[in-house]
Amino acid sequence: MRVAYLANYQGADLIQKRGVHANLALAGSRKIGEICGMLAAAGTEVVVFSLGAVAERTGKWHAAFQSHVSPTIPVIVRYASAWDVQIVSQGVGYFSLNRAFAEEHATRPFDAILLYNTPLPETRIAITSARRWGIPVVLEYEDSVEIFADGSRTWKNRVWASMLESIRPHVKGIIAASPELLEQLESPNKLLLRGLLSPDIRELAPTPVQQPVRILFAGSMQRSKGVDLLCEAWELLSTKGTELHLVGSGQELPGLQSRYQCAGRVFHGLVSRQKLLSLMSSAWIFANPHRSGRDLPGNVSPFKLVEYLGVGRPVISTRMGAIESELEQGICYSNSQSPADIAIAIDSVLHNYSFWAGRAAHAREAAWQSYSPATVASGVSKVLHAACGRASAFSTS
């Protein structure tokens, strides 16, 4: 099977060549890369098509180029030309990416398209390809088109919603991060994919082995992630001697550092995978203080949450929609998104750590049963094959 993956993938070489900072999408790119690796290992040929857009507003032109997901993953990435000019960049990227897609399809036809969310350029290419060549589309639905992760709405939501309606007749399979997102499209060919666990996570000890007590957040530094809420909550903790470690970058990072940098609260910025694993290994509690849309539960479900649970430590989280009870037992929810309630939840876990560690251990096993590399690869492969009207040949042996 040959699959075209239309996704906002940002490889290390793209980031370096084009100086991508303002619109970094590292978590999504890592997930896309790992899915590519799993599918490739299962015998599926994947070609990634990415706009490689730049949002630095320098006016600089960037030529299209070809790369690979990584030296160890034999998956080609076709990056479109990019002109670092607002709005115009979308049109430039569309024509360049559409040309690259047609070239690859002419070389050897694609059997299926895997579309990551519904951005305008990529969705237009998927619609055109489905109409012209009859290529079935599988939608990887990560974020609701109706609302942003923090509950806000802009004109962009109207564009994405319009694209979802346009692609709907061509969707032959759905992979989504929450049951609520799965329900937005009608298809018997569905897969709930809350996360994906890498083998290096399995190697971490299920319980912390050192002092001091550390709370860890890892993710993008943007308002929807609620990092400011976590920082304020940490200041309210009744349990002293804790450390708060924050990993990640984004537009909010400079402001957060200036407001909240102090002893015991450490902003690490972007770190290597090995450094992140070391910090995760030393953490007692993981934090997911997400600002969620109150009127649309399940509008987003961070992949990081499953990775936290896969380590086997308790997770503090704001509520984000329904989640399976086997996974939920490792999560202590705050009563609201207020710093005071988040602090109360952290205190509760710290004062009853043995109890919560036991629950987290059970959640860890459940996470690995559902989101191990073999399980995810099998699930995605089955959806792609079903979209093409054929049985999956994937085997975990």
Side-chain angles (χ1 to χ4, degrees):
M1 170 176 276
R2 192 168 195 243
V3 175
Y5 202 166
L6 290 165
N8 180 33
Y9 179 75
Q10 298 173 334
D13 51 355
L14 173 87
I15 294 171
Q16 182 179 15
K17 283 184 178 182
R18 296 187 175 178
V20 178
H21 297 287
N23 61 325
L24 276 175
L26 297 180
S29 297
R30 184 167 178 272
K31 174 202 165 185
I32 292 163
E34 291 197 0
I35 289 178
C36 287
M38 291 176 186
L39 289 174
T44 298
E45 181 185 355
V46 183
V47 180
V48 179
F49 295 89
S50 174
L51 283 183
V54 187
E56 308 305 318
R57 307 298 178 243
T58 62
K60 186 176 180 180
W61 174 267
H62 300 275
F65 72 100
Q66 180 172 306
S67 184
H68 289 84
V69 168
S70 79
T72 59
I73 300 177
V75 172
I76 293 173
V77 183
R78 296 286 302 266
Y79 290 110
S81 302
W83 190 10
D84 192 7
V85 177
Q86 194 172 11
I87 299 178
V88 175
S89 62
Q90 294 288 297
V92 169
Y94 165 74
F95 286 109
S96 177
L97 206 63
N98 192 46
R99 183 169 57 251
F101 188 102
E103 291 173 358
E104 288 289 340
H105 186 71
T107 301
R108 192 160 68 261
F110 288 110
D111 297 295
I113 292 172
L114 188 55
L115 174 65
Y116 192 95
N117 285 326
T118 59
L120 194 154
E122 293 92 331
T123 306
R124 288 304 312 167
I125 293 172
I127 292 170
T128 301
S129 301
R131 289 174 176 169
R132 182 178 180 184
W133 296 300
I135 308 174
V137 177
V138 171
L139 177 63
E140 187 178 353
Y141 198 14
E142 293 297 312
D143 305 296
S144 174
V145 298
E146 301 294 337
I147 191 171
F148 279 104
D150 62 359
S152 62
R153 290 183 175 89
T154 72
W155 61 270
K156 292 182 179 179
N157 296 106
R158 291 193 292 273
V159 172
W160 296 333
S162 174
M163 289 295 98
L164 182 61
E165 289 306 308
S166 298
I167 195 68
R168 190 184 293 271
H170 308 289
V171 172
K172 305 302 180 184
I174 310 159
I175 300 170
S178 72
E180 292 86 353
L181 293 177
L182 280 178
E183 292 172 2
Q184 290 187 25
L185 290 99
E186 302 77 27
S187 172
N189 184 25
K190 295 183 177 182
L191 174 67
L192 175 63
L193 185 58
R194 291 192 182 278
L196 191 159
L197 293 169
S198 303
D200 53 13
I201 292 291
R202 191 62 163 170
E203 298 172 3
L204 300 181
T207 55
V209 293
Q210 65 184 63
Q211 295 285 354
V213 174
R214 289 181 173 177
I215 302 164
L216 177 68
F217 167 88
S220 299
M221 297 292 169
Q222 52 183 287
R223 186 178 182 279
S224 65
K225 302 299 183 181
V227 183
D228 57 328
L229 305 177
L230 178 61
C231 289
E232 292 179 30
W234 181 78
E235 294 178 342
L236 300 174
L237 289 180
S238 63
T239 303
K240 304 303 179 183
T242 62
E243 294 181 355
L244 177 60
H245 290 255
L246 304 122
V247 175
S249 184
Q251 293 181 331
E252 296 280 313
L253 181 58
L256 289 168
Q257 286 179 311
S258 65
R259 287 159 55 197
Y260 297 114
Q261 186 81 58
C262 67
R265 187 161 46 203
V266 184
F267 287 87
H268 293 271
L270 294 176
V271 299
S272 66
R273 180 65 178 175
Q274 199 56 44
K275 175 64 174 178
L276 175 60
L277 291 172
S278 176
L279 289 167
M280 294 177 80
S281 181
S282 67
W284 287 59
I285 296 172
F286 295 117
N288 179 51
H290 214 289
R291 283 185 169 92
S292 303
R294 296 177 182 272
D295 56 343
L296 193 60
N299 64 309
V300 65
S301 182
F303 256 50
K304 186 63 66 179
L305 193 59
V306 168
E307 193 165 59
Y308 286 163
L309 294 171
V311 177
R313 314 287 169 82
V315 179
I316 301 296
S317 180
T318 50
R319 292 193 177 274
M320 306 189 67
I323 187 170
E324 295 75 19
S325 59
E326 296 83 4
L327 297 175
E328 197 170 43
Q329 62 185 324
I331 304 172
C332 179
Y333 291 112
S334 58
N335 287 331
S336 75
Q337 298 175 15
S338 72
D341 280 339
I342 294 172
I344 289 171
I346 296 173
D347 266 333
S348 176
V349 172
L350 290 176
H351 285 100
N352 301 276
Y353 195 79
S354 296
F355 169 77
W356 279 103
R359 290 173 63 95
H362 290 297
R364 182 193 197 205
E365 295 311 308
W368 279 96
Q369 287 176 14
S370 298
Y371 301 112
S372 69
T375 302
V376 171
S378 176
V380 174
S381 181
K382 287 177 180 177
V383 171
L384 287 168
H385 279 80
C388 298
R390 61 176 80 165
S392 173
F394 182 87
S395 172
T396 58
S397 61

